[in-house]
Amino acid sequence: MNRYLPLVLISLGILAFATLFLVIAPGIQIAQRAVSEGLRPYTEQEARGRAQYVSLGCVYCHSQQPRSPDQAPDGERGWGRPAVAGDYVFDRPHQLGTMRTGPDLLNVGARLPSASWQLTHLYQPRAIFPWSIMPAYPYLFEKKAKAAEGDTVVVLPNGVGPADGGVIVARPEALDLAAYLLSLDRTYPVPANSLRDDGFARRGASS
């Protein structure tokens, strides 16, 4: 019975120590950095698209954190410069991800800047890449006999569209998600004092 008090005090001390060095100190360190000039908040449509991205669980197959050259050849893959903490100022919740079943998406808006391409890819990835294992999202789209004014028709190759005719148009959820993907562009220069994980590099990776 007399040992409970020391055990409680030690446990609280460990918790306080971990909170200080793993939560409070990094938060203070990041808060002191200015937002990169090239980064802007998400628009309302992009924010809705981001909510779609989160709800669909895209993070389980896609990361959003290009790494330094000594960690992975992400630059050679065309995924962009190593990410810095300031790239995520407007992200809640963060979608860093650890799995790379698909490519990193932090700069997909710069790499594939076509809304039409994004919609086709979301409707049926194998319409573009026959080898793709990415799931299709047909419920983000609607089949119509004829497009109405204001509809965004999805461009599909022969054999992928409706077999009995008609067109596939994007629902608002698909347009929002495409807008979010196009907003993913962190190709702007970053401040020299930006925080990032440089792995084993002694002088930091190139920007």
Side-chain angles (χ1 to χ4, degrees):
M1 188 68 177
N2 294 336
R3 295 178 180 176
Y4 286 166
L5 181 59
L7 287 175
V8 170
L9 292 177
I10 291 173
S11 299
L12 291 176
I14 292 174
L15 179 62
F17 184 82
T19 302
L20 175 63
F21 286 97
L22 298 179
V23 179
I24 298 177
I28 294 174
Q29 188 179 25
I30 292 174
Q32 294 174 344
R33 263 57 179 187
V35 178
S36 298
E37 293 184 4
L39 187 64
R40 60 171 176 78
Y42 295 111
T43 65
E44 290 186 11
Q45 184 183 35
E46 292 165 355
R48 292 195 302 270
R50 191 170 196 279
Q52 284 286 332
Y53 184 94
V54 173
S55 68
L56 292 172
C58 303
V59 70
Y60 294 113
C61 290
H62 295 281
S63 62
Q64 290 191 18
Q65 49 172 331
R67 296 167 182 164
S68 59
D70 65 319
Q71 294 177 314
D74 290 355
E76 298 175 16
R77 293 166 173 159
W79 295 351
R81 60 162 173 75
V84 298
D87 289 332
Y88 308 99
V89 169
F90 301 114
D91 287 9
R92 299 287 189 284
H94 293 98
Q95 296 292 292
L96 297 177
T98 56
M99 296 298 293
R100 289 181 160 182
T101 306
D104 188 281
L105 297 181
L106 190 61
N107 292 295
V108 69
R111 193 165 68 243
L112 298 165
S114 166
S116 178
W117 188 96
Q118 296 291 349
L119 291 173
T120 301
H121 191 241
L122 289 171
Y123 177 73
Q124 180 48 270
R126 280 161 293 286
I128 298 176
F129 303 120
W131 42 262
S132 177
I133 60 172
M134 176 174 156
Y137 300 94
Y139 47 87
L140 298 178
F141 301 85
E142 181 180 2
K143 177 189 172 187
K144 288 186 174 182
K146 183 179 180 182
E149 184 178 355
D151 280 344
T152 300
V153 178
V154 180
V155 178
L156 296 171
N158 293 332
V160 179
D164 56 350
V167 294
I168 299 297
V169 301
R171 296 181 186 274
E173 293 84 354
L175 296 174
D176 293 345
L177 182 54
Y180 168 64
L181 293 172
L182 294 177
S183 77
L184 291 175
D185 180 355
R186 306 295 196 268
T187 56
Y188 48 78
V190 296
N193 66 343
S194 294
L195 291 174
R196 70 179 169 212
D197 177 11
D198 284 325
F200 297 104
R202 293 184 176 180
R203 296 183 179 179
S206 60
S207 322

